[in-house]
Amino acid sequence: MAADPSRIRNFSIIAHIDHGKSTLADRILQMTSTVAEREMKEQLLDSMDIERERGITIKSAPVRVMYTARDGLEYQLNLIDTPGHVDFTYEVSRSLAACEGALLVVDAAQGIEAQTLANAYLALDNNVEIVPIINKIDLPAADPDRVAKEVSDLTGDDPDGILRISAKTGFGMEEVLEAIVTKMPAPPDPDPEIELPLAQRPPRALIFDSKFDQYRGVITFIRMIDGTLKKRERALVMQAGINCEIDEIGCFSPEMVPTNELGPGEVGYIITGLKDLADLSVGDTVTARDRPAAEPLEGYEQIKPMVFCGLFPIEAAQYPELRDALSKLKLNDAALAFEPETSNALGFGYRVGFLGLLHMEIVRERLEREYDLDLLATPPNVQYMIRAKHETEYTIVRNPVDMPDSGAYEEILEPIVKATVIVPKEFVGQVMELTQDKRGTFIDMQYLSENRVQLKYFLPLAEIVLNFFDQLKSRTKGYASFDYDMDEHQPGDLVRLDILLNHEKIDALSLICHKDKAYYQGKALVEALRKKITRQFFDVPIQAAIGAKIIARETVKAKRKDVLAKCYGGDISRKRKLLEKQKKGKKRMKMIGSVEIPAEAFLSVLDIDSADSDKK
Amino acid sequence: MITPTRSLYVHVPFCAHRCGYCDFVTTSRSPELHGRYVAALQRELALQGGAPEGGFDTIFVGGGTPTLLEPEAMGELLAWLASVQAPGAELTLECNPETVDERLADQLAAAGARVSLGAQSFSAHVLEALERRANPETVRGAVRQLRAAGIERLSLDLIWAVPGQTDEDLARDLEAALELEPDHLSAYELELKPGTRLAHRFGTDAATALGEAADEHYDFVIDRLQEAGWWWYETANFARDEQERCRHNLAYWHADTWLAVGVGAVGARAHADGSRVRRANLPNVPRWLKAVEAGELPPARIEEIDQRTARLERVMLALRLDQAVRIEASDIADGIVDGAGLERVMELELGTALPVGDADGTLRGTVELRLNRRGRMLQGTVGGLLLDP
Ligand SMILES: Nc1nc2c(ncn2[C@@H]2O[C@H](COP(=O)(O)OP(=O)(O)OP(=O)(O)O)[C@@H](O)[C@H]2O)c(=O)[nH]1
Ligand SMILES: C[S@@+](CC[C@H](N)C(=O)[O-])C[C@H]1O[C@@H](n2cnc3c(N)ncnc32)[C@H](O)[C@@H]1O
Ligand code: SF4
Ligand SMILES: [Mg+2]
């Protein structure tokens, strides 16, 4: 039997990165005995290897817990732990669309940060009830009173009424569970006019996420809005117009537990026989064949990627596997976009769109690890709009290679973002300096509290996708937080910088940059490449050029010696291991013409800006 | 089944201080341990099965600083080694210049020892950079004294590519070494070993301090010594003539087997099927002493080298020597040596391979590969092309 909707609470846990969402979820899992004590571990819902290694959440993770409240009744709580990093905001917004409430976690020492604001606004947009929580009050640097004031300014809650807890020690957690039950609404009736009880109406389930499982195929995460879906039932994916059968239906505990049905308000999953990955896209609505809903649910706004790079298999033969892997990964990463690309230097690959650099890094790593691929990524860039001479229309350029030589176009527009930076007031000067360096335009400045300032800027997206955040952090001793929203495109004085290796232009290394910075970038890039490119049997000149003009040059000197001098009896194993390591390194090399280039060298551009900031 | 082995390595870990570049197993433990240590060496050899019938053909006493041993302990060591060596055996001791005095020189000469003297450099500032105790005069004096006592086979160790060592410094080092008329020279590029003070100073990302800037140093060393008539018989080793090559070290490069005793010592034995087992005693003096004195084999890391890996190591090591490397048809058939890589080595003009026996004139059968000078200098690359670990 499905639960009575009035005893269900669906909520997301949202916060700035590292403010303790996953730790708070741990405590909820423990207090509700969802996970056996011996199976408990820190940030249990961060189940991916990459998440555990990096200590951050990348994927939203749903879980159902049963909680007996102080009113003596048992409630079904469906919580979704979300990521805090700005690149994964799309995870948060999809999770919120499956919920009626949000726990907004704020670190008692750090206070409100940029993603606290961004996620709080997302929650408001989604009309969910925000319950703010001040976490980490056990920290010596905690200042809950100040933070309560900041939170109150944001949410309108009475500062004294805001819960103060430590997710680490568990202090105050009971109040959190009570607040979820008492302050957050139960799943509402989407159509109160209709007399038929909710559970008996034509079912509508929102697909809010999915993943591909090697053994079980596509697993579709759903939130029931109304009606009931049952095991073995014939179903219809409404917007795709595809029929399927529900082979299995169930909930997350947090592992998948099969049930007989899911009723209104419940969160869970279905497994269907559908094999075509495109048939079950996030945002679509699942209904029953024999009692179909009239209209699909609203779904999600498709997110637009902001950063693009080419992904190429190092072994050309892996191209079909890369395509397959991208489609499967897209199931679990709705923000991923890709289209085929051909490069003179690298052959067949994909131009892949991401929400940011961390997203790019994670996608590449997941493709390599989960699908056993060896990939080469080209320098990331943003999307430009270019109008040729005597034309009125703009063409979209996502690949520097497609940018005409200067002189051949009339105008080029680049994407601009509206950025928010929050810092202690003593760092305002540094932020101003950095943003100026990055071609920013100041919008305004506001005090969040006596000591903390919120600054707003327009900034070219291209300037922030690379290392802006790292530089911001290093200039503000780690205190700054940063968030941004896309604004419009604006004209820029931009040029294409080409790289020549051994006198041949390598298309996959071209990049677009501001004219005033081209000289510096060219110099820094050839320098970075020289360091990354291993020595060959002949000298390899590396040049940077704008059009036909060479603006910088370095040479990778031919290697003449490659042997470790000393080898006595105790050295033999070490020598052999060195050979093994060298062989492994070979696998990450790409032959371009007669030059062997380590895959990592293609991302040398990422090293440039940090060199820039070191200089200061 | 273990085949008998004819070489013995003996490690003596004592040093007066630790030089800035050194990561060998050393300890500055005080002299009262010397006697115990030498006694324990003998027990360990017994625990490992003792000397082969007829004695060892080669013995190498390395360190640490073997010549730091108190005269009595040194006498005990040499007497014991005399008892386990075959007639005409090669007995080498590593020796630090500042430890040489008349008494030691006489002891070594009486034992018929070959001496490998750690000169490293003849430039005061290079020795200082290496944090050596000896100055150039100490080194020269030691050579004279050893020769005067009657040491017949004398080798000098040199180190090049030291930060701050100029081309002129290196030239001077070579001249100074040649002037002393040794019989053998080892010229090592300075390696930055993790954990050493030098590595700390110059960064541990790189294996060597000067990187590509050292190419010229190497060229220079080879040029100069060859010009003086020396044989560049191994990557870092030069001999006045064939007889003067270090027979013990050749056993390593020929992938032979050897026993090893002493703290941190590494030995290798062969099974009948060609697979190997390498035994590395742990580098802990008290634990080593305690075990051996209790009549137990000391704690060690045991590495099993399967047959395939052993065959691969044979080729890898042979590439270091100035002689044709025999690559068996089966090495290629079994994928130990990559046939395409072999062709690439020739294409890049790093060496020549000639078919042996009644092969059809192609490189598909057994071949002998001889690297040229460029190939020998780029031996790491050659190994990478040829071998499939
Ligand atoms: N002292 C203290 N540390 C806490 C508390 N809650 C979480 N932490 C620590 O803060 C760090 C981040 O915690 P997470 O739970 O991973 O934070 P998160 O918000 O899930 O992080 P992302 O998912 O990456 O955005 C971890 O080292 C936690 O142990 C708390 O109440 N007190
Ligand atoms: C086992 S060591 C010690 C010998 C003796 N104690 C001495 O210092 O002369 C033998 C030789 O290895 C060489 N060696 C030691 N560490 C080295 C390093 N990090 N790089 C290059 N050669 C090194 C030195 O030339 C040294 O003489
Ligand atoms: S180089 Fe020789 S003397 Fe110096 S610490 Fe190493 S073993 Fe001892
Ligand atoms: Mg988390």
Side-chain angles (χ1 to χ4, degrees):
Chain A
M1 256 294 284
D4 173 354
S6 69
R7 303 269 193 79
I8 297 178
R9 296 293 182 274
N10 295 320
F11 64 97
S12 298
I13 309 180
I14 60 176
H16 188 75
I17 191 160
D18 271 353
H19 280 199
K21 299 173 287 291
S22 302
T23 306
L24 192 148
D26 285 347
R27 294 296 84 75
I28 296 182
L29 291 177
Q30 250 176 338
M31 292 172 65
T32 55
S33 308
T34 309
V35 173
E37 207 52 49
R38 71 193 140 74
E39 277 158 27
M40 202 57 215
K41 55 181 175 190
E42 278 175 29
Q43 289 98 38
L44 182 121
L45 294 180
D46 290 344
S47 56
M48 277 198 288
D49 289 346
I50 309 187
E51 291 180 314
R52 302 208 67 82
E53 279 162 26
R54 296 181 182 238
I56 59 168
T57 304
I58 289 163
K59 278 299 299 174
S60 284
V63 57
R64 172 191 290 188
V65 305
M66 303 304 295
Y67 169 63
T68 306
R70 290 194 188 136
D71 62 12
L73 301 173
E74 187 178 59
Y75 289 82
Q76 176 191 119
L77 311 184
N78 292 299
L79 71 88
I80 307 183
D81 180 28
T82 68
H85 191 280
V86 56
D87 278 13
F88 305 116
T89 303
Y90 190 51
E91 290 285 317
V92 184
S93 69
R94 287 200 328 278
S95 303
L96 284 169
C99 296
E100 285 76 45
L103 282 183
L104 177 67
V105 182
V106 185
D107 185 308
Q110 294 189 0
I112 288 194
E113 298 284 9
Q115 272 80 51
T116 316
L117 291 177
N119 287 330
Y121 294 144
L122 263 182
L124 291 173
D125 288 347
N126 278 281
N127 260 324
V128 308
E129 180 69 30
I130 298 178
V131 175
I133 307 275
I134 296 175
N135 185 33
K136 307 198 189 183
I137 58 161
D138 60 304
L139 285 179
D143 187 356
D145 290 335
R146 165 181 73 86
V147 175
K149 173 86 184 32
E150 289 181 9
V151 172
S152 154
D153 287 347
L154 175 66
T155 61
D157 288 74
D158 170 10
D160 297 329
I162 299 172
L163 295 178
R164 302 173 180 204
I165 69 154
S166 164
K168 191 166 183 175
T169 65
F171 175 85
M173 280 303 300
E174 273 162 32
E175 296 307 321
V176 174
L177 284 165
E178 274 308 303
I180 291 165
V181 169
T182 55
K183 294 201 176 149
M184 290 182 187
D189 183 340
D191 238 328
E193 319 268 277
I194 303 177
E195 277 182 21
L196 202 59
L198 254 182
Q200 286 159 33
R201 293 186 202 165
R204 284 186 303 176
L206 174 70
I207 303 181
F208 69 92
D209 207 345
S210 60
K211 71 174 177 191
F212 187 82
D213 181 287
Q214 214 184 327
Y215 305 104
R216 321 195 59 186
V218 183
I219 296 163
T220 307
F221 295 32
I222 55 169
R223 154 73 201 265
M224 296 301 302
I225 302 298
D226 39 20
T228 307
L229 278 176
K230 301 190 173 94
K231 192 164 111 178
R232 294 260 152 260
E233 175 158 58
R234 300 208 311 145
L236 168 69
V237 189
M238 293 184 80
Q239 283 171 29
I242 304 274
N243 291 318
C244 59
E245 185 169 342
I246 298 176
D247 294 335
E248 184 175 316
I249 191 164
C251 62
F252 298 98
S253 184
E255 73 287 358
M256 294 189 289
V257 179
T259 56
N260 286 323
E261 60 183 38
L262 286 177
E266 291 191 308
V267 172
Y269 70 93
I270 55 173
I271 299 178
T272 65
L274 287 181
K275 289 271 177 292
D276 191 345
L277 305 174
D279 289 343
L280 283 159
S281 53
V282 161
D284 209 335
T285 304
V286 182
T287 188
R289 277 288 294 292
D290 60 358
R291 53 206 142 86
E295 289 288 325
L297 297 162
E298 210 175 294
Y300 299 115
E301 199 180 319
Q302 180 52 44
I303 184 97
K304 292 198 184 62
M306 300 196 240
V307 185
F308 300 82
C309 82
L311 281 183
F312 292 85
I314 294 180
E315 296 257 0
Q318 282 194 332
Y319 177 72
E321 289 157 59
L322 172 58
R323 184 185 44 216
D324 185 53
L326 278 166
S327 335
K328 284 177 179 160
L329 187 60
K330 185 169 169 56
L331 273 179
N332 195 230
D333 187 345
L336 192 63
F338 53 93
E339 61 197 22
E341 171 184 358
T342 321
S343 147
N344 292 335
L346 302 177
F348 295 109
Y350 284 90
R351 182 120 299 240
V352 186
F354 309 93
L355 298 178
L357 219 57
L358 179 64
H359 188 211
M360 168 174 153
E361 212 179 295
I362 298 287
V363 165
R364 175 175 167 197
E365 206 173 314
R366 287 187 70 186
L367 286 170
E368 292 196 329
R369 285 158 84 135
E370 294 171 27
Y371 301 91
D372 202 19
L373 297 167
D374 279 315
L375 298 178
L376 187 156
T378 65
N381 58 268
V382 301
Q383 166 177 313
Y384 299 91
M385 292 168 72
I386 294 183
R387 184 161 63 81
K389 284 227 157 82
H390 319 296
E391 292 282 334
T392 49
E393 298 283 296
Y394 287 89
T395 34
I396 290 179
V397 167
R398 298 194 179 118
N399 189 340
V401 177
D402 298 331
M403 177 168 167
D405 284 337
S406 50
Y409 55 88
E410 186 71 36
E411 188 179 45
I412 172 162
L413 305 182
E414 65 174 329
I416 303 292
V417 300
K418 196 168 170 185
T420 305
V421 177
I422 297 178
V423 275
K425 70 175 179 217
E426 64 262 35
F427 294 112
V428 167
Q430 277 88 329
V431 176
M432 296 243 177
E433 201 186 335
L434 178 66
T435 48
Q436 188 166 23
D437 217 43
K438 300 290 179 188
R439 301 192 280 131
T441 315
F442 177 77
I443 303 171
D444 65 19
M445 175 166 130
Q446 228 177 307
Y447 274 83
L448 289 182
S449 56
E450 199 182 312
N451 226 330
R452 282 162 30 97
V453 179
Q454 169 183 307
L455 293 146
K456 291 209 161 134
Y457 287 92
F458 288 119
L459 277 161
L461 178 62
E463 296 284 350
I464 60 166
V465 288
L466 297 184
N467 309 60
F468 179 78
F469 191 45
D470 292 339
Q471 292 179 39
L472 184 64
K473 282 249 174 175
S474 81
R475 289 187 193 204
T476 58
K477 302 214 164 76
Y479 279 112
S481 68
F482 170 66
D483 190 68
Y484 60 89
D485 282 316
M486 286 303 280
D487 207 73
E488 50 196 18
H489 279 66
Q490 276 180 17
D493 200 358
L494 304 168
V495 293
R496 192 188 69 231
L497 186 70
D498 293 324
I499 297 294
L500 290 81
L501 271 186
N502 212 16
H503 306 292
E504 286 199 35
K505 186 168 127 186
I506 307 300
D507 58 358
L509 282 172
S510 292
L511 47 98
I512 295 175
C513 62
H514 194 262
K515 204 169 165 190
D516 294 347
K517 295 188 170 177
Y519 183 75
Y520 168 76
Q521 288 241 341
K523 244 174 94 68
L525 184 55
V526 293
E527 166 82 32
L529 280 165
R530 183 183 61 75
K531 288 191 191 142
K532 289 251 168 86
I533 295 179
T534 35
R535 295 199 291 154
Q536 321 272 312
F537 293 103
F538 44 86
D539 283 1
V540 178
I542 310 170
Q543 296 159 301
I546 297 172
K549 188 170 166 229
I550 304 289
I551 58 165
R553 179 191 163 112
E554 290 271 346
T555 305
V556 180
K557 295 294 254 177
K559 68 173 165 189
R560 288 193 301 157
K561 176 180 73 67
D562 168 23
V563 54
L564 283 185
K566 197 164 162 55
C567 178
Y568 75 113
D571 280 332
I572 299 173
S573 292
R574 194 168 64 92
K575 288 270 184 308
R576 192 188 70 242
K577 280 174 191 144
L578 221 64
L579 197 66
E580 284 163 10
K581 206 172 128 201
Q582 185 185 344
K583 265 284 188 273
K584 243 187 226 136
K586 273 265 183 281
K587 297 217 170 89
R588 305 233 16 107
M589 296 279 193
K590 183 93 187 166
M591 278 303 273
I592 293 186
S594 51
V595 185
E596 201 178 44
I597 306 180
E600 275 55 45
F602 284 83
L603 290 180
S604 298
V605 64
L606 299 182
D607 303 341
I608 299 183
D609 280 352
S610 41
D612 181 24
S613 68
D614 289 343
K615 228 175 40 193
K616 302 223 160 120
Chain B
M1 246 283 275
I2 288 184
T3 52
T5 143
R6 325 261 349 147
S7 293
L8 174 67
Y9 176 76
V10 179
H11 193 78
V12 179
F14 308 108
C15 284
H17 93 127
R18 184 179 280 278
C19 308
Y21 55 91
C22 181
D23 79 335
F24 284 87
V25 178
T26 73
T27 165
S28 50
R29 279 297 180 112
S30 38
E32 74 271 6
L33 270 180
H34 295 177
R36 260 177 84 189
Y37 190 85
V38 171
L41 286 173
Q42 303 175 36
R43 286 200 76 173
E44 190 189 359
L45 180 64
L47 289 166
Q48 290 204 36
E53 210 157 311
F56 291 105
D57 289 333
T58 76
I59 298 177
F60 195 103
V61 185
T65 308
T67 50
L68 197 69
L69 287 177
E70 293 293 297
E72 211 167 302
M74 177 58 92
E76 172 70 20
L77 173 76
L78 293 171
W80 166 57
L81 291 177
S83 74
V84 295
Q85 75 188 52
E90 174 191 90
L91 166 67
T92 308
L93 280 94
E94 279 182 342
C95 172
N96 280 33
E98 68 278 9
T99 62
V100 176
D101 56 18
E102 204 179 323
R103 180 166 178 184
L104 175 76
D106 287 342
Q107 269 184 313
L108 294 175
R114 177 180 177 271
V115 173
S116 167
L117 187 71
Q120 322 307 359
S121 172
F122 292 88
S123 310
H125 72 273
V126 174
L127 289 173
E128 229 163 82
L130 293 172
E131 304 180 19
R132 295 287 290 179
R133 281 276 161 103
N135 61 43
E137 272 323 302
T138 328
V139 180
R140 289 194 178 89
V143 173
R144 271 184 228 115
Q145 200 148 36
L146 288 166
R147 286 297 200 197
I151 295 294
E152 285 180 10
R153 301 182 65 193
L154 181 75
S155 175
L156 296 181
D157 284 350
L158 295 176
I159 297 188
W160 48 273
V162 180
Q165 184 183 30
T166 64
D167 296 354
E168 293 74 43
D169 291 333
L170 178 62
R172 217 168 331 126
D173 282 350
L174 290 177
E175 295 318 316
L178 288 172
E179 221 162 84
L180 291 169
E181 301 187 333
D183 307 291
H184 183 279
L185 278 168
S186 300
Y188 301 116
E189 175 174 10
L190 177 66
E191 270 185 69
L192 295 178
K193 303 287 184 73
T196 60
R197 283 191 298 278
L198 242 75
H200 189 70
R201 193 135 35 98
F202 296 104
T204 27
D205 314 343
T208 56
L210 297 193
E212 60 190 79
D215 288 9
E216 263 140 54
H217 275 203
Y218 197 27
D219 261 331
F220 184 80
V221 170
I222 300 167
D223 281 344
R224 179 65 192 106
L225 294 178
Q226 285 187 336
E227 184 191 290
W230 288 67
W231 182 15
W232 179 34
Y233 76 99
E234 194 265 354
T235 305
N237 286 281
F238 300 79
R240 203 194 258 299
D241 60 42
E242 188 171 348
Q243 299 307 314
E244 289 300 338
R245 292 181 300 168
C246 177
R247 274 158 58 198
H248 181 86
N249 285 343
L250 280 169
Y252 300 151
W253 303 321
H254 286 147
D256 281 344
T257 56
W258 70 95
L259 286 186
V261 293
V263 63
V266 183
R269 299 194 190 210
H271 294 294
D273 68 352
S275 67
R276 306 261 142 143
V277 51
R278 209 163 278 150
R279 176 190 167 83
N281 285 344
L282 297 188
N284 182 316
V285 177
R287 284 179 62 192
W288 177 85
L289 264 180
K290 193 171 157 223
V292 176
E293 286 176 348
E296 288 162 19
L297 276 175
R301 198 165 35 77
I302 307 290
E303 190 187 4
E304 293 287 346
I305 311 283
D306 61 27
Q307 206 193 50
R308 187 181 190 283
T309 308
R311 285 163 65 191
L312 180 133
E313 286 185 353
R314 181 190 67 80
V315 178
M316 177 185 87
L317 291 165
L319 290 172
R320 300 183 69 88
L321 294 168
D322 184 25
Q323 64 181 44
V325 182
R326 192 180 165 93
I327 294 170
E328 306 290 341
S330 57
D331 289 337
I332 299 185
D334 297 345
I336 292 167
V337 171
D338 177 12
L342 183 61
E343 271 162 30
R344 185 98 182 105
V345 169
M346 308 249 281
E347 225 171 81
L348 291 165
E349 295 179 6
L350 299 166
T352 44
L354 293 174
V356 265
D358 54 355
D360 51 4
T362 66
L363 294 184
R364 264 163 287 164
T366 297
V367 295
E368 282 190 344
L369 169 67
R370 190 177 270 281
L371 297 185
N372 57 25
R373 168 158 168 172
R374 213 168 129 248
R376 289 185 69 194
M377 289 179 70
L378 287 168
Q379 190 205 108
T381 310
V382 172
L385 288 169
L386 280 184
L387 298 170
D388 201 355

